[in-house]
Amino acid sequence: MAEQREQFRSRLGFILAAAGSAVGIGNLVGFPVNAAKSGGAAFLIIYAAFVVFICLPVMIAEMSLGRKTQRNPLGAYKSIAGDRSAWRFGGWLALITPFMIAVFYQVLTVWLLGYFLGAVSGNLEAMSVEGYFGNFINDNGVFLYLGVLTVLIGIILNSGVQNGIERLAKVLMPSLFIMLITLTVFVLTLPNALKGVEFYLVPDFSKINLATVNIALSQAFFSLSLGMGILITYGSYVSKRESVASGAKMVALVDTSVAFFAGLLILPAIFVFNPEINTDDLSSSSVSLVFTFLPKIFLSLQSVIGFVGASIFASAFFLLVFFAAITSQVSILQVPISAFQDELKFSRFKSVLALGACAALLVIASMVSFGMVPLFTEFLAYGGKVNSFFDLVYDVFYETILPLNGFIVCLFVIYRWRRSNLDTELMVGDDTYKGSFTQRYVNFALGTFVPAILLFVFTTTVLLKFFGVNVFELL
Ligand code: PHE
């Protein structure tokens, strides 16, 4: 007899686990930076509209596909379209994408661990010096952190969906909310903080153009963990007694609220540091912001709260982001694990080991691509420059392919699986779905403008990243 598929124990457990996946570096750092550069609340409004009108239908589609088929993304595509159908390539993409994003994200999580330990051990001063980051990432210590993290994540994943992922989310997510609120309230009491709040919450629509709209959409899509196969996989662990649509709405709400509060934390903190700051100078990359800019800001807090206070603040912040990263990381690694279990009938332990071995090699290749090994540092030329292995993974999987995966999901669900089957699945565990506005909207949006917009975003990104053509400048 086939083994019973694992399930989340409770509705709350599922929502926290999915929110744990969604809340990550994207919300805590990516969102505030983009909001700062693109008109504050003006960006927020556009972002929130995209979450509700474009991303939520895709999220609902992914989750219902998983719950219906009870499989990983590849299995989900195959079980609806057949083993030899061309749609299975969509399934492969939804499997390879999370695997490669996990490789890249693991590197960031390793750095976060190192920065947390650095701040805790009183190193904040050194960490805020120019050049520290470059030395840190090329120091052998990162391999030690990688080892610790890999074992930790392996143990969580090997404990399974209920006892590993769900339990972790139930502990880490509430801690994360408490830390985020405490840090935000604290920052708001500091001098000049209100300037930051004003900057954030008074909309500046003059900063909005087609390019910023594009950024808002990509940011929302990434932040909700769409196009990564995660929500298909998590959907497959949701009980038939639960409402998929209302679960998805809760996850989107939590994710967006965390992004909002992160803005309220980071922007005022930046203004405490330098009230005259020109936010156009902020780097667009969340990576350089977390690791090179924020330590300076945290250190500057010492004039108000002393060095120990500043170190505690910095440690709490890095721990917060680290927690967010770990819950995202387990969600994305669960995708290939479920594929090993479903498709190759591996046991959980064997799946975790197989995945760990494949991933570790690629993570190490990424970690040595900042100068340690020339082959990986100068890996491939495209877009007018020579890129490292890490850059390649980042550009292809993090920046480019997600909207394509979203596009394929929309077409697959509406035109292959069909609307009536989607409807039927969404009515399972939900008496209110039939005839609701959500039903009509989801059906319409997924078959029309949502895939069209996602295809547009995908095309413009490919042109920009790989061919150096900026469509928005041409328009
Ligand atoms: N939503 C996550 C974030 O905001 C994206 C992500 C999920 C990244 C899972 C990696 C793994 O960071």
Side-chain angles (χ1 to χ4, degrees), residues 15-69:
I15 290 173
L16 286 178
S21 169
V23 172
I25 302 174
N27 307 59
L28 293 174
V29 188
F31 176 82
V33 184
N34 282 320
K37 294 169 72 88
S38 311
F43 185 83
L44 177 64
I45 294 167
I46 296 174
Y47 175 88
F50 283 155
V51 167
V52 175
F53 294 111
I54 297 185
C55 296
L56 196 55
V58 180
M59 189 179 226
I60 291 177
E62 290 198 10
M63 286 183 183
S64 22
L65 194 58
R67 191 175 65 172
K68 170 68 192 173
T69 57

Side-chain angles (χ1 to χ4, degrees), residues 129-143:
V129 170
E130 211 66 54
Y132 177 86
F133 179 58
N135 292 334
F136 168 81
I137 61 180
N138 280 319
D139 187 271
N140 287 336
V142 287
F143 297 109

Side-chain angles (χ1 to χ4, degrees), residues 21-22 24-27 101 105 222-223 225 228 230 328 331-332:
S21 169
I25 302 174
N27 307 59
I101 291 186
Y105 215 73
F222 174 77
S223 179
S225 297
M228 306 181 189
I230 296 177
S328 295
S331 77
I332 205 159

Side-chain angles (χ1 to χ4, degrees), residues 326-390:
I326 283 243
T327 48
S328 295
Q329 191 60 347
V330 296
S331 77
I332 205 159
L333 287 166
Q334 182 61 28
V335 181
I337 289 192
S338 71
F340 279 124
Q341 291 177 307
D342 296 346
E343 308 302 311
L344 301 176
K345 307 284 175 249
F346 278 14
S347 68
R348 189 193 297 145
F349 183 64
K350 207 166 145 194
S351 307
V352 173
L353 276 189
L355 173 77
C358 306
L361 289 178
L362 292 174
V363 174
I364 292 173
S366 306
M367 290 180 52
V368 297
S369 74
F370 302 97
M372 284 193 210
V373 176
L375 172 68
F376 292 110
T377 308
E378 287 157 25
F379 195 68
L380 193 65
Y382 59 84
K385 59 186 173 62
V386 178
N387 299 277
S388 69
F389 181 69
F390 180 86

Side-chain angles (χ1 to χ4, degrees), residues 18 59 62-63 66 224-226 228-236:
M59 189 179 226
E62 290 198 10
M63 286 183 183
L224 291 175
S225 297
L226 299 177
M228 306 181 189
I230 296 177
L231 297 172
I232 302 181
T233 310
Y234 271 21
S236 75

